């Protein structure tokens, strides 16, 4: 029996045990890469470290209660854990799920030859890593923090072997740091079978409600949406805000804003919902509205479209990769209340069934679990092929 190639993911993502069903389906899909033995470093859902095997081997660090402690824990212990996995399991591929985790993987890659190992490094770029964090919450000593983060990103990119990007904008940002690295582009994971199967609960022509889906942070522009919704002359419309209040202060400000604007009775804050619940909300909505000020791609755009729901989105980041203005949704200038208000009004006057059909057709073509799996297969083959060429060159 041929030995499988060991691959180790490193990220600051949190994993439960047993895995959340949506995440479990992702790693179950990855087991179809039968030539690869997959291991994952991340955070547990508690203060206890956890190790278990469920489709992949998971090695989870304890999760402290504050962001600062999480960063310190991650940068103190993740390098040791990753190096141990490289040595023990001969991990030939390291996958860092952001340039910042990439700095840890780059360090481990650099010292691995001391132990007779030479892993390859894939760096993933899912967003505008230079700015997004600072648009989510207030950061003390912002200038110093920014300089440190960019230094870590440059260090990672300088030692990477390949890139995984998810949109035109994330590819362009990565090119600024690593113009010569080969790359493969494909969307982040989505359990799309749920959305494909959901369909419409209310016919589009009869739907009046609008939905926002995403965490509640300033970068998502929900305050812009509330301003525009307050101006919308459609008394039957309700706005459903679906997502975890990741920035609690911002979420409180949004609730106060809704009261001040006189729309509190028509705005519903639902918090985090399951994928099945999210699909149901999409299937009852006139449109998804994503008024982001910055966005790597906007996975919820594809998920909403799979239910036949058009999307109004900002012309930022990767959103224009998904929305063809006037064909499967509407694009608006980011941060512009007037333009967003016009788009909200237009979505009630448009040929909504045509938009919905085009949205569903586009989403089905754009993403599937098979395309996701093929993206990683191509990435792994890309770095292993370069490794073989390097080995031949040194003989």
């Amino acid at each position: 029996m041929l030995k499988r190639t060991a691959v180790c993911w490193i990220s600051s993502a949190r994993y439960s045990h047993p895995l959340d069903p949506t995440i479990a389906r992702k790693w179950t899909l990855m087991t179809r890469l039968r030539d690869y033995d997959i291991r994952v470093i991340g955070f547990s859902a508690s203060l206890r470290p956890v190790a278990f095997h469920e489709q992949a081997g998971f090695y989870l660090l304890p999760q402290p209660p504050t962001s600062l402690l999480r960063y310190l824990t991650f940068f103190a212990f993740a390098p040791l854990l990753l190096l141990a996995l490289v040595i023990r399991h001969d991990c030939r591929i390291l996958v860092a799920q952001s340039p910042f985790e990439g700095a840890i993987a780059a360090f481990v890659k650099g010292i691995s030859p001391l132990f007779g190992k030479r892993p390859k490094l894939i760096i993933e770029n899912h967003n505008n890593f230079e700015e997004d964090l600072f648009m989510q919450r207030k950061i003390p000593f912002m200038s110093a923090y920014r300089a440190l983060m960019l230094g870590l990103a440059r260090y990672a990119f300088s030692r990477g072997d390949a890139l995984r990007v998810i949109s035109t904008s994330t590819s362009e940002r990565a090119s600024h740091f690593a113009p010569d690295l080969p790359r493969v582009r494909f969307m982040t994971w989505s359990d799309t079978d749920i959305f494909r199967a959901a369909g419409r609960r209310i016919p589009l022509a009869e739907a009046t409600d609008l939905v926002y889906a995403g965490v509640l942070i300033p970068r998502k522009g929900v305050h812009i949406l509330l301003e525009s919704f307050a101006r919308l002359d459609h008394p039957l419309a309700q706005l459903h805000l679906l997502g975890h209040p990741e920035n609690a202060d911002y979420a409180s400000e949004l609730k106060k804003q809704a009261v001040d604007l006189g729309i509190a009775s028509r705005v519903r804050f639902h918090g985090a919902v399951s994928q099945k619940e999210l699909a149901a909300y999409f299937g009852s909505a006139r449109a998804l509205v994503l008024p982001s000020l910055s966005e790597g791609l906007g996975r919820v755009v594809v998920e909403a479209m799979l239910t036949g729901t058009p999307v109004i989105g900002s012309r930022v980041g990767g959103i224009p990769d998904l929305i063809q203005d006037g064909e499967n949704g509407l694009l608006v200038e980011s941060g512009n209340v007037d333009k967003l208000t016009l788009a909200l009004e237009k979505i009630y006057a448009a040929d909504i069934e045509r938009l919905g059909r085009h949205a569903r057709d586009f989403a089905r073509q754009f993403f599937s679990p098979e395309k996701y799996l093929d993206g990683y297969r191509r990435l792994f083959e890309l770095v292993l092929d370069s490794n073989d060429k390097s080995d031949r060159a040194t003989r």
Side-chain angles (χ1 to χ4, degrees):
M1 181 176 178
L2 293 176
K3 181 181 178 182
R4 295 191 296 169
T5 299
V7 182
C8 188
W9 259 261
I10 177 169
S11 83
S12 55
R14 183 180 69 178
Y15 296 94
S16 60
H17 182 220
L19 294 173
D20 171 86
T22 293
I23 299 301
R25 281 188 280 273
K26 167 186 171 178
W27 294 108
T28 298
L29 175 70
M30 296 297 288
T31 62
R32 288 165 53 184
L33 296 174
R34 301 188 184 281
D35 294 332
Y36 300 95
D37 177 25
I38 296 173
R39 300 172 191 278
V40 182
I41 293 174
F43 277 111
S44 75
S46 69
L47 287 171
R48 297 174 53 194
V50 178
F52 63 92
H53 191 278
E54 189 176 340
Q55 287 83 46
F58 288 83
Y59 305 83
L60 306 181
L61 300 168
Q63 181 176 218
T66 67
S67 296
L68 177 60
L69 288 176
R70 283 196 291 273
Y71 288 137
L72 292 175
T73 298
F74 196 71
F75 278 89
F77 295 105
L80 298 175
L81 181 53
L82 182 59
L83 180 61
L85 292 176
V86 168
I87 295 172
R88 181 176 179 182
H89 299 287
D90 190 24
C91 293
R92 295 183 62 195
I93 302 173
L94 310 181
V95 182
Q97 295 202 280
S98 85
F100 309 121
E101 284 105 339
I104 292 174
F107 170 75
V108 170
K109 175 188 173 182
I111 63 174
S112 291
L114 299 176
F115 303 91
K117 309 297 181 183
R118 296 184 180 276
K120 293 291 186 175
L121 173 58
I122 296 169
I123 300 172
E124 302 198 353
N125 186 29
H126 295 190
N127 54 27
N128 181 355
F129 60 88
E130 298 174 77
E131 299 294 339
D132 281 2
L133 178 63
F134 304 101
M135 299 174 71
Q136 292 178 199
R137 61 178 181 269
K138 294 179 180 178
I139 304 292
F141 309 108
M142 189 171 71
S143 296
Y145 197 89
R146 186 192 299 273
L148 174 62
M149 290 177 64
L150 291 181
L152 291 172
R154 290 189 184 96
Y155 173 74
F157 281 121
S158 69
R159 288 157 177 78
D161 297 288
L163 300 174
R164 183 259 175 121
V165 297
I166 64 171
S167 65
T168 302
S169 65
T170 57
S171 182
E172 289 173 349
R173 293 317 305 153
S175 294
H176 178 72
F177 289 85
D180 299 325
L181 282 186
R183 67 202 60 199
V184 177
R185 174 176 157 183
F186 56 100
M187 196 179 92
T188 49
W189 166 252
S190 172
D191 195 1
T192 52
D193 288 348
I194 291 175
F195 299 93
R196 287 173 182 265
R200 297 289 314 175
R201 301 182 70 181
I202 298 176
L204 263 177
E206 300 174 15
T208 58
D209 290 354
L210 301 171
V211 169
Y212 161 84
V215 293
L216 300 185
I217 54 177
R219 175 171 64 83
K220 294 292 188 175
V222 185
H223 55 289
I224 304 295
L225 174 55
L226 290 181
E227 287 278 357
S228 297
F229 185 71
R231 299 182 184 184
L232 176 65
D233 184 17
H234 199 299
L236 296 179
Q238 294 207 358
L239 174 61
H240 299 272
L241 304 179
L242 314 175
H244 174 65
E246 187 169 308
N247 184 322
D249 291 339
Y250 181 65
S252 296
E253 291 170 6
L254 292 176
K255 291 178 181 179
K256 182 178 183 301
Q257 182 185 9
V259 172
D260 293 343
L261 290 170
I263 56 173
S265 64
R266 297 197 295 132
V267 177
R268 301 283 186 266
F269 290 80
H270 295 277
V273 299
S274 69
Q275 295 290 88
K276 187 174 182 179
E277 291 171 317
L278 181 61
Y281 277 109
F282 287 157
S284 302
R286 184 83 174 186
L288 166 71
V289 188
L290 192 63
S292 303
L293 306 177
S294 176
E295 194 73 51
L297 181 68
R299 178 181 60 197
V300 291
V301 173
V302 175
E303 293 169 345
M305 286 182 174
L306 284 170
T307 68
T309 304
V311 182
I312 301 171
S314 301
R315 200 185 298 272
V316 296
I319 295 176
D321 289 355
L322 305 175
I323 299 177
Q324 300 159 1
D325 191 32
E327 289 297 316
N328 59 9
L330 302 174
L331 285 172
V332 298
E333 182 182 339
S334 173
N336 191 310
V337 174
D338 292 337
K339 294 292 180 63
L340 181 55
T341 303
L342 288 174
L344 296 183
E345 292 171 350
K346 189 174 181 179
I347 207 69
Y348 289 97
D351 183 350
I352 197 69
E353 292 180 345
R354 180 183 67 86
L355 290 178
R357 285 195 306 272
H358 290 179
R360 183 184 288 112
D361 291 344
F362 171 84
R364 287 178 173 175
Q365 181 277 329
F366 184 81
F367 179 85
S368 68
E370 291 73 23
K371 287 188 175 184
Y372 183 83
L373 193 68
D374 183 63
Y376 275 116
R377 183 182 289 112
R378 287 184 289 143
L379 265 175
F380 295 163
E381 291 173 353
L382 180 66
V383 294
L384 290 177
D385 181 61
S386 67
N387 199 32
D388 292 341
K389 290 179 180 178
S390 298
D391 290 344
R392 289 194 294 270
T394 58
R395 290 174 189 167

